[in-house]
Amino acid sequence: MWSIQGESKNVEYKVALPDRSIKYVKTAVAFANDEGGRIVFGIEDQTLNVVGVPDDQVFTIMDAISNAIADSCEPLIIPDISMRDIGGKTVIVAEILPGAQRPYHIKSMGRDQGTFVRVAGTTRQADAATIKELLFEGSNRSFDQTVCLGLEATDEDIAKLCDTMTEVAKSNAKHDADSIKPVTAKQLLSWGVLVERDGEFKPTNAYAILAGINGPVRSVVQCGVFKGSTKAVFVDRREFTGAPWELVEQAYQYVLRNIHMGARFEGVYRQDVYEIPPDAIRELIVNAVVHRSYIDHSSIQIAIYDDRLEITSPGRLPMGQTIARMKEGYSKIRNEALAAAFSYMRLIEHWGSGIPRIIEEVREAGLREPEFLGGDTDLRINIYRQVDALASDTASGVRDTTETVRDTASGVRDTTETVRDTASGVRDTTSLTDDERAVIHYAQANGGITSVVAKNVLNLQERQTQKILAGLVNRGILQRIGAARSTRYVPAEATAANENRD
């Protein structure tokens, strides 16, 4: 039995054959540019009342629909026309498959005006960015692997990017940093970060993104804290630019500073516990940066409301991807060069595992399952906060020790004190600066931090960063291990604990 449900992204109803074929040809074009769908003739769209089509006109109407779609669309769309019997009445179904030669458009209107897509169950004219995205999908190309017009890169520029990416990879490798092979220009070429033209290396859009060159391609993360559950009243706003790993760290630290944090005590040791799992936050930000559409000049937006964390990534879902498939672990890569670079730098672990892992981590934290919205023009993910969770979790020994931290124009006000007991005594951390706290949080979450990563996290000059790291070492909060370029700074209590086990 064929069930009748309301109009959706993939279904549209027509009570009768319209007097002008363009009224349904637009929808056929939109379905071909998206996931496909069906147009059903003989059902009233508001009431879902089955009216049917006259039996003596069924075949005439079917031919008219088939001819109108085939004659009006470019590239050619051939619908699968069939009839169904519902309650003794005949309806006609025009099935449109997702097309591979995108963008599809109405010939008489031209590509710029005649390209349509489905948005929230309605047919809408595509904007310039969407048409460009469809062009890349139809040609099976990746925008980030396309030469970046107007951008040049010297051998020195390329070598600097290679060195930086190698350092980032080593800092994220934790225990197997020595196994990381340095990035070379040849490697960038194989990923599509560079292309070769007439014996010379040319930078692609991925190069501009990785190098943090915000001009040819817009790579920005906008963060904000809002009072209530809407954007009517904002408390703080920040905009971050730079290399993608810098964007990830800056946005990640911003969120951590602006959500509740409690403490779990195990003996004399204190463990920070955030109301939203930090790993889930970081994974969502990484996904937004690597999978967003860079054709779309909008920014990634991270909004912290009283009731939720909201992350919005620009661009429609890639061809073949749906929210349901994404939640099941199906991975569809939009930016192939960026994805390869992120994988090398250990910013991404296993393809397809990120979203299912986020869902599981949020559930385990006692929060409701993340909410996935949109996908037609952008993707929005909400993680709903449980403000009283930490305060009420006394059974597990967790106490809420913070108020929500807000960033202001004059700096960050943090209401917490990070106190660590170690084998050598209790460290005095009551006078930590905001930058010092950010470094400590990163080192604790990642088992250490390098000067390069600290510089990116703090967005400071190298000299200022070294001064902060040296100060934390002198105060016994961090310990320096290794030498030269392999130097790392690890929490002092971690080192002491390892020594005690030995």
Side-chain angles (χ1 to χ4, degrees), residues 433-486:
T433 66
D434 300 326
D435 288 337
E436 288 171 335
R437 285 192 180 94
V439 169
I440 292 169
H441 280 311
Y442 185 95
Q444 290 167 348
N446 297 275
I449 190 170
T450 67
S451 60
V452 172
V453 173
K455 175 176 174 290
N456 293 334
V457 169
L458 301 176
N459 196 24
L460 295 175
Q461 297 295 322
E462 184 174 352
R463 186 173 180 180
Q464 294 171 292
T465 304
Q466 289 291 352
K467 184 177 180 181
I468 291 171
L469 291 170
L472 292 173
V473 170
N474 292 336
R475 293 162 66 182
I477 298 172
L478 295 182
Q479 182 169 339
R480 178 174 174 169
I481 60 174
R485 297 175 69 177
S486 62

Side-chain angles (χ1 to χ4, degrees), residues 86-108:
I86 302 178
K89 296 180 180 179
T90 302
V91 299
I92 296 173
V93 180
E95 193 88 24
I96 310 295
L97 296 177
Q101 296 177 283
R102 306 178 180 191
Y104 292 85
H105 65 276
I106 296 174
K107 287 189 285 188
S108 62

Side-chain angles (χ1 to χ4, degrees), residues 352-363:
S353 66
I355 297 301
R357 188 165 58 246
I358 289 168
I359 294 172
E360 184 62 27
E361 288 174 351
V362 171
R363 283 175 177 167

Side-chain angles (χ1 to χ4, degrees), residues 176-342:
D176 60 340
D178 292 340
S179 67
I180 299 295
K181 295 181 180 179
V183 179
T184 63
K186 185 177 180 180
Q187 185 69 68
L188 297 182
L189 186 67
S190 70
W191 290 339
V193 177
L194 297 173
V195 296
E196 193 170 2
R197 295 286 186 273
D198 300 324
E200 294 183 356
F201 288 144
K202 297 291 183 181
T204 63
N205 292 315
Y207 180 96
I209 296 166
L210 291 168
I213 303 172
N214 194 25
V217 183
R218 181 172 170 81
S219 181
V220 176
V221 176
Q222 295 176 332
C223 297
V225 178
F226 300 89
K227 184 176 179 61
S229 59
T230 71
K231 291 184 177 179
V233 180
F234 77 89
V235 178
D236 178 69
R237 289 178 181 173
R238 291 291 178 91
E239 184 172 287
F240 300 115
T241 60
W245 51 88
E246 295 173 339
L247 297 180
V248 170
E249 288 307 325
Q250 290 166 343
Y252 173 67
Q253 295 296 334
Y254 183 95
V255 174
L256 292 187
R257 291 196 299 266
N258 287 282
I259 62 175
H260 290 149
M261 181 175 69
R264 176 181 287 113
F265 290 89
E266 298 179 1
V268 297
Y269 294 95
R270 162 178 161 155
Q271 178 184 356
D272 292 336
V273 181
Y274 289 95
E275 60 173 309
I276 301 174
D279 286 347
I281 296 170
R282 185 183 180 86
E283 188 91 39
L284 282 174
I285 297 172
V286 168
N287 280 348
V289 172
V290 75
H291 293 305
R292 63 155 291 178
S293 169
Y294 285 94
I295 294 175
D296 191 321
H297 288 179
S298 302
S299 303
I300 293 170
Q301 294 187 341
I302 300 176
I304 302 170
Y305 301 94
D306 288 348
D307 64 337
R308 69 190 186 280
L309 168 66
E310 178 184 275
I311 299 179
T312 304
S313 179
R316 64 204 296 271
L317 290 175
M319 182 170 62
Q321 182 65 295
T322 65
I323 288 177
R325 298 181 78 184
M326 184 171 61
K327 291 168 70 174
E328 293 172 356
Y330 177 81
S331 180
K332 185 73 174 179
I333 298 173
R334 186 202 306 272
N335 303 304
E336 297 180 6
L338 283 184
F342 268 56

